[in-house]
Amino acid sequence: MDSRKTRAGGRLVLLTISALWAPPTTFGQDVPSAAGDLRTTPSALRDLAPQCGIWIGPAVAYGPLIDEPIYGQTLGREFNLFTPENEMKWAPIHPQRFQYSFARADALVDFAAANGIALHGHTLVWHQQLPAWLSSGSFTRDEMIEILRDHIYTVAGRYSGYAVAWDVVNEAFNDDGTLRNTLWLDRIGPEYLDLAFQFASDADPYSQLLYNDYSNESINAKSTAIYNMVSDMLGRGVPIHGVGFQLHTTLSGINLASFSENLQRFADLGLDAYITELDVRIELPVTDDKLATQANVYRGILNACLDQLACRALQMWGFTDAHSWIPGFFPGFGAALIFDESYQPKPAYHALANRLSQCSQPNRRFIRPRFQR
Ligand code: XIL
């Protein structure tokens, strides 16, 4: 991808297609493509989800997409939206102050475009995976604002027309509802939140701009702090369109009643809701009983999303147990996703497919990028 002209061309195509969109491949790289015959599998999740009015997708990593053909084949067959797991974070994409590194992120977007998959960008402001030049730099407040502006304009601008949503700010709150003490808060002050959304809107006026966090699915101190922040932003005209609920959970599941009530209060503000990083980790060893319980947790969360018109997407943090952050970050746990390590669908996959095939009101609402409303 090398010119504004091609990006505008992609956008024009998007404007003319509603539910399933497929902008042209403009990044000019050779990327794997899902096999065409696999795409017609009638029960693939991506063929079922539009009937329910939601996007369905995983987080995606560059390495396995390049190394393992079955990874791309499964991805292209099953999903219509994905989030780059790491490739658009600050450290990989902006390794030096005046140097960006787009090759891996572009390859993922190429794959998405070639396979009719929409992009969910992740993430423009976070306190982790920052490059050393930034985290150990000593910049003035004005310089930090300029660095933030340049980054968001460059990254969100590059993928404008491909991204249907962006996680603009990720994990800005502590569980007690206070603002997390991050580099951004420390160097810029709370105004960084407004600035990030304004810069993202300037750079990509077409995508849904989201605030994303974890442990915010129930009504609690953190979700209430987020609610208060987004209400305040909306009142002041800050461009924010939705909230992401990561939903990294366990076999104990979540309080579904509280989740539904919580979704409703955000919906009442006119905001959309995205389930952004769902996984249901299992304490090893895996048993059939645990897999059945896991399927129930997935099904319950999908039900809550389908019961809420403002819920736009069910996204998981990966799709195969062969590639998941869980074993590395939660020792003793694993098997959190809907395909096993051999890319075979698990009971959780069948639970999702089964529920998605039961939507009684096909096209209860169109799924489409924000700019098509
Ligand atoms: C994780 C990735 O999965 C890992 O590969 C990486 O080492 C650390 O970050 N919440 C988020 C994601 O918003 O960006 C995190 O992703 C998981 C938790």
Side-chain angles (χ1 to χ4, degrees), residues 4-329:
R4 289 186 176 277
K5 204 163 158 232
T6 48
R7 287 200 293 277
R11 188 177 305 155
L12 191 65
V13 171
L14 292 181
L15 283 165
T16 62
I17 299 175
S18 61
L20 283 176
W21 60 270
T25 307
T26 55
F27 287 11
Q29 298 186 15
D30 286 333
V31 288
S33 171
D37 54 338
L38 294 176
R39 269 285 298 112
T40 59
T41 307
S43 63
L45 299 178
R46 66 174 288 166
D47 297 321
L48 300 171
Q51 300 172 38
C52 299
I54 63 166
W55 299 97
I56 187 121
V60 170
Y62 174 82
L65 184 63
I66 297 305
D67 294 341
E68 295 175 40
I70 193 173
Y71 185 94
Q73 287 161 4
T74 309
L75 178 61
R77 185 186 72 217
E78 296 290 343
F79 302 109
N80 59 10
L81 174 67
F82 74 56
T83 303
E85 183 173 357
N86 289 301
E87 289 76 5
M88 291 184 181
K89 291 173 179 172
W90 275 74
I93 211 167
H94 196 170
Q96 300 297 333
R97 180 168 180 191
F98 298 109
Q99 184 203 325
Y100 288 85
S101 176
F102 294 117
R104 290 180 169 219
D106 281 2
L108 294 186
V109 178
D110 273 347
F111 179 89
N115 290 285
I117 300 175
L119 171 71
H120 181 144
H122 176 84
T123 172
L124 297 171
V125 179
W126 196 27
H127 60 286
Q128 291 187 24
Q129 290 178 269
L130 295 172
W133 67 265
L134 179 62
S135 50
S136 54
S138 47
F139 300 107
T140 66
R141 180 172 187 274
D142 283 351
E143 285 171 331
M144 284 298 286
I145 291 173
E146 174 51 23
I147 286 167
L148 182 65
R149 190 199 62 75
D150 183 73
H151 178 89
I152 293 177
Y153 274 31
T154 303
V155 176
R158 184 173 185 84
Y159 301 113
S160 178
Y162 295 88
V164 293
W166 263 105
D167 295 331
V168 177
V169 178
N170 196 32
E171 303 179 354
F173 286 95
N174 298 309
D175 286 353
D176 68 3
T178 56
L179 274 181
R180 188 191 290 275
N181 189 18
T182 67
L183 175 97
W184 303 109
L185 184 66
D186 182 54
R187 309 281 164 81
I188 297 178
E191 195 192 350
Y192 87 86
L193 296 160
D194 286 5
L195 288 171
F197 280 93
Q198 191 57 58
F199 292 153
S201 175
D202 294 346
D204 183 356
Y206 304 109
S207 83
Q208 297 256 281
L209 304 180
L210 311 182
Y211 174 82
N212 189 47
D213 215 327
Y214 64 88
S215 296
N216 62 339
E217 62 273 9
S218 298
I219 298 216
N220 58 31
K222 186 187 254 187
S223 65
T224 298
I226 294 166
Y227 177 84
N228 290 336
M229 174 190 73
V230 298
S231 306
D232 180 56
M233 283 179 163
L234 289 169
R236 291 181 296 104
V238 176
I240 181 167
H241 310 119
V243 172
F245 302 86
Q246 291 185 8
L247 273 166
H248 298 290
T249 189
T250 65
L251 292 187
S252 306
I254 64 166
N255 181 337
L256 289 169
S258 187
F259 181 40
S260 295
E261 203 184 321
N262 195 28
L263 288 177
Q264 189 60 51
R265 68 174 170 165
F266 286 101
D268 288 344
L269 293 176
L271 291 172
D272 283 340
Y274 284 64
I275 294 168
T276 49
E277 304 185 13
L278 176 60
D279 50 24
V280 183
R281 59 186 179 271
I282 291 179
E283 189 165 5
L284 302 173
V286 175
T287 65
D288 286 348
D289 279 355
K290 290 180 188 177
L291 290 175
T293 304
Q294 180 183 53
N296 275 331
V297 175
Y298 270 97
R299 189 195 339 256
I301 291 169
L302 173 60
N303 270 331
C305 177
L306 295 180
D307 284 346
Q308 172 53 256
L309 282 170
C311 185
R312 312 274 292 178
L314 183 79
Q315 297 189 257
M316 294 151 278
W317 206 241
F319 59 96
T320 164
D321 292 335
H323 300 288
S324 162
W325 75 308
I326 291 296
F329 282 79

